[in-house]
């Protein structure tokens, strides 16, 4: 495996191995602090993303490596009209591995076809964000102790939310998963995502508009932001952005061991008062994401 | 024209009725110097009606393209007036630079030098998706 563009490119055993490594890194950080000494990670962010970029950079620093790159297209040669292929061919001469975010869907695939070093997709428009999915899987495994036999609720923007698409696809490879999709009709999970899980006999998928009604059934609640940048017009965004807001009052009937997750950043879909609830896992997700990215960088660089 | 009248050439048979011109266009036959016959709505035991293309020269045919447009077609290669080879192209695993991705958010819309690659993701229903953005190919 040279690159990570889409979560479906990883086998289940590779995912399990990455989770295992990330857990070991978390428990024994000193063991890994020199693993990438002398290696360089280039973070090519053609679209702003503080969280993901810093997570990659922190991951590489904690492995003893170095980081270079840019954080917006206007500070790169893309502003002069350079193609993605040319950019990564150039950067391949400077760095050992590239993490790329791009607003256009499929840009990391185009990059992987041109680059001579591994490419990690750090998000391509509304399409894929595999390292977020790895962080999510890692969090579910750590919080629930398993990745099978779970009822997972996904709430909010299920139409444009790429993190949900990837999570559904990744979780569908484990047994006995019941998905409950909670969203307004306009933001329902696209058919192509549903069709990916339809052929798994042990899975169920339900759709509802009522968050509170299904909350007591959930082992995992994955909240998402209604993302302004994915809408073609602002009127639709304003109408739908407040559809689902999680508050302490709504959580009274939820399971005691519910894991509340969110890819962040949030706007107002999880009330700040929920942060103190022990079931809130979204900041643990951020931390898990860094350890998972460390495990992934090591894997792609073939560092033992 | 009958097959026997072709000494060296290609007969593309079992084209779904009405799609011969589509094939003609994709194969760039309007630029070919040889004789080309388009037979529309011919009787067919298998299909009821079918189209047939007869090309009076053995051209370098893109079988990938043929399979994508009409996976059930038959290609007969005629040499010295005899059927030398019979091919069933079927659905190709990938198709390159034949159709364009219609997703306005796809990287291929801004970087037009990239090859337009689609991969077969559902053999049963003949579904192809863009290699880059996974959008379903529309004919």
């Amino acid at each position: 495996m040279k690159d990570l563009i889409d979560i479906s490119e990883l086998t289940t055993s590779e995912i399990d191995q990455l989770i295992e490594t990330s857990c070991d890194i978390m428990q024994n950080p000193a063991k890994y602090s020199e693993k990438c000494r002398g290696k360089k990670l280039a973070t090519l962010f053609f679209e702003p993303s503080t969280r993901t970029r810093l997570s990659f950079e922190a991951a590489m620093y904690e492995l003893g490596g170095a980081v270079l790159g840019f954080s917006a297209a206007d500070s790169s040669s893309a502003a002069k009209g350079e193609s993605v292929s040319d950019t990564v061919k150039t950067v391949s001469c400077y760095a050992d591995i590239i993490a790329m975010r791009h607003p256009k869907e499929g840009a990391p695939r185009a990059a992987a076809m041109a680059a001579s070093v591994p490419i990690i997709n750090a998000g391509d428009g509304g399409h894929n964000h595999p390292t977020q999915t790895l962080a999510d899987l890692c969090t579910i495994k750590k919080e629930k102790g398993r990745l099978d036999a779970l009822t997972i609720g996904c709430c909010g923007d299920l139409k444009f939310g790429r993190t949900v698409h990837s999570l559904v696809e990744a979780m569908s490879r484990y047994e006995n998963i019941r998905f409950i999709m909670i969203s307004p009709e306009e933001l329902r999970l696209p058919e192509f995502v549903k069709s990916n899980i339809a052929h798994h006999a042990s899975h169920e998928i339900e759709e509802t508009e009522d968050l509170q009604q299904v909350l007591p059934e959930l082992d995992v609640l994955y909240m998402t932001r209604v993302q302004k940048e994915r809408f073609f017009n602002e009127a639709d965004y304003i109408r739908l952005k407040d559809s689902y807001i999680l508050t302490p009052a709504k959580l009274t009937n939820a399971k005691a061991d519910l894991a509340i997750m969110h890819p962040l950043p949030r706007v107002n879909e999880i009330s700040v008062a929920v942060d103190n609830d022990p079931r809130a896992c979204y900041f643990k997700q951020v931390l898990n994401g860094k350890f998972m990215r460390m495990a992934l960088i090591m894997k792609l660089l073939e560092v033992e | 024209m009958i097959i026997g009248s072709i000494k060296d050439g290609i007969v593309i048979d079992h084209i779904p009725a009405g799609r011969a011109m589509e094939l003609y266009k994709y194969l760039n036959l309007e630029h070919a110097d040889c004789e080309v016959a388009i037979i529309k709505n011919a009787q067919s035991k298998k299909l009821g009606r079918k189209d047939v293309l007869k090309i009076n020269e053995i051209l370098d045919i893109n079988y990938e393209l043929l399979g994508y447009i009409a996976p059930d077609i038959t290609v007969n290669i005629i040499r010295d007036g005899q059927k030398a080879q019979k091919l069933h192209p079927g659905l190709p695993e990938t198709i390159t630079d034949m159709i364009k991705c219609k997703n306005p958010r796809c990287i291929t819309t801004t970087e037009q030098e990239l090859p337009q690659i689609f991969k077969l993701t559902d053999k049963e229903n003949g579904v192809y998706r863009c290699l880059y953005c996974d959008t379903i190919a529309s004919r």
Side-chain angles (χ1 to χ4, degrees):
Chain A
M1 181 182 144
K2 175 181 164 275
D3 312 290
L4 179 61
I5 307 301
D6 185 328
I7 193 76
S8 65
E9 294 166 349
L10 288 171
T11 65
T12 305
S13 66
E14 283 175 321
I15 290 175
D16 294 343
Q17 183 62 49
L18 283 167
I19 292 172
E20 198 177 306
T21 307
S22 70
C23 289
D24 194 53
I25 296 170
M26 185 179 251
Q27 283 155 14
N28 307 289
K31 194 170 117 187
Y32 295 88
S33 63
E34 297 289 324
K35 290 283 185 188
C36 288
R37 176 70 61 200
K39 303 279 187 189
K40 284 172 285 189
L41 164 77
T43 51
L44 310 187
F45 277 59
F46 295 84
E47 181 181 67
S49 163
T50 312
R51 186 177 323 276
T52 306
R53 184 172 57 84
L54 293 184
S55 178
F56 270 108
E57 294 183 359
M60 193 55 169
Y61 283 129
E62 289 191 28
L63 289 168
V67 175
L68 65 162
F70 53 83
S71 56
D74 57 10
S75 58
S76 79
S77 294
K80 298 175 192 166
E82 186 178 56
S83 68
V84 165
S85 301
D86 282 1
T87 301
V88 297
K89 278 180 191 167
T90 305
V91 175
S92 294
C93 301
Y94 307 142
D96 301 284
I97 186 166
I98 294 171
M100 172 193 275
R101 169 163 289 194
H102 199 286
K104 285 286 183 181
E105 298 176 13
R109 174 78 64 202
M113 288 160 66
S116 58
V117 300
I119 299 280
I120 302 173
N121 182 359
D124 57 337
H127 186 219
N128 279 319
H129 192 1
T131 58
Q132 177 67 53
T133 308
L134 288 173
D136 297 341
L137 294 177
C138 186
T139 304
I140 293 171
K141 180 70 188 276
K142 282 178 183 169
E143 296 300 316
K144 309 305 297 181
R146 65 188 190 278
L147 286 169
D148 57 358
L150 291 166
T151 299
I152 300 175
C154 299
C155 179
D157 174 6
L158 310 184
K159 182 177 180 182
F160 297 103
R162 63 186 167 197
T163 52
V164 170
H165 302 173
S166 298
L167 180 67
V168 168
E169 187 182 339
M171 286 305 301
S172 68
R173 60 176 81 198
Y174 296 94
E175 296 296 314
N176 297 310
I177 303 294
R178 182 176 170 221
F179 295 101
I180 303 182
M181 299 297 165
I182 310 145
S183 74
E185 198 172 342
E186 293 92 332
L187 295 177
R188 279 190 178 172
L189 198 68
E191 280 303 320
F192 78 88
V193 183
K194 275 191 253 179
S195 68
N196 283 340
I197 53 173
H199 58 276
H200 292 272
S202 72
H203 300 331
E204 289 175 47
I205 184 159
E206 297 167 32
E207 291 180 308
T208 178
E209 295 191 347
D210 193 336
L211 169 62
Q212 196 146 12
Q213 188 188 12
V214 296
L215 251 176
E217 300 173 48
L218 305 180
D219 298 308
V220 175
L221 172 59
Y222 196 91
M223 295 293 293
T224 62
R225 176 168 61 103
V226 176
Q227 297 181 78
K228 190 176 182 178
E229 62 267 32
R230 305 290 171 226
F231 281 82
F232 284 116
N233 74 70
E234 192 157 350
D236 281 351
Y237 167 71
I238 290 167
R239 186 169 56 84
L240 294 168
K241 74 182 171 73
D242 294 338
S243 295
Y244 298 96
I245 296 172
L246 190 66
T247 60
K250 283 185 183 158
L251 282 166
T252 50
N253 292 326
K255 287 182 182 174
D257 63 348
L258 170 72
I260 305 165
M261 298 172 61
H262 191 299
L264 301 179
R266 69 175 153 187
V267 182
N268 60 352
E269 59 278 6
I270 299 179
S271 142
V272 174
V274 175
D275 294 1
N276 297 324
D277 191 307
R279 294 170 289 189
C281 297
Y282 28 93
F283 290 108
K284 289 184 200 168
Q285 254 173 291
V286 177
L287 189 63
N288 292 336
K290 183 190 69 177
F291 291 119
M292 185 51 104
R293 288 181 179 99
M294 290 171 76
L296 178 65
I297 289 168
M298 285 174 52
K299 178 179 173 61
L300 293 178
L301 287 176
E302 297 177 347
V303 172
E304 292 298 321
Chain B
M1 188 194 287
I2 55 169
I3 290 178
S5 70
I6 296 179
K7 188 164 181 291
D8 294 296
I10 299 169
V11 178
I12 304 174
D13 201 356
H14 301 115
I15 303 169
R19 299 194 69 182
M21 281 309 291
E22 195 182 337
L23 231 63
Y24 181 88
K25 191 186 94 185
Y26 274 112
L27 291 171
N28 275 323
L29 291 175
E30 68 265 38
H31 301 302
D33 293 330
C34 60
E35 285 179 24
V36 177
I38 301 166
I39 301 165
K40 288 183 69 179
N41 297 321
Q43 296 279 352
S44 165
K45 284 180 191 168
K46 191 171 157 190
L47 303 171
R49 296 271 177 188
K50 66 176 180 180
D51 289 358
V52 181
L53 271 176
K54 295 188 176 183
I55 307 163
N56 204 10
E57 194 176 307
I58 300 176
L59 300 174
D60 188 13
I61 292 281
N62 182 344
Y63 292 104
E64 187 182 85
L65 182 150
L66 289 181
Y68 171 66
I69 295 174
D72 294 328
I73 59 168
T74 311
V75 180
N76 296 301
I77 311 289
I78 313 295
R79 292 184 199 278
D80 292 328
Q82 302 294 316
K83 194 187 287 181
Q85 209 179 351
K86 187 173 182 177
L87 304 166
H88 299 280
L91 286 169
E93 285 301 314
T94 60
I95 50 175
T96 304
D97 289 335
M98 284 193 279
I99 47 169
K100 287 189 173 179
C101 183
K102 301 266 174 71
N103 173 11
R105 296 176 170 120
C106 181
I107 184 67
T108 56
T109 61
T110 48
E111 302 208 356
Q112 291 168 6
E113 78 289 354
L114 285 170
Q116 293 271 353
I117 305 172
F118 286 78
K119 57 188 175 176
L120 180 63
T121 55
D122 180 351
K123 204 167 185 175
E124 202 174 310
N125 297 305
V127 175
Y128 285 83
R129 288 183 186 275
C130 173
L131 176 73
Y132 305 95
C133 71
D134 290 311
T135 297
I136 292 179
S138 51
R139 291 171 194 253

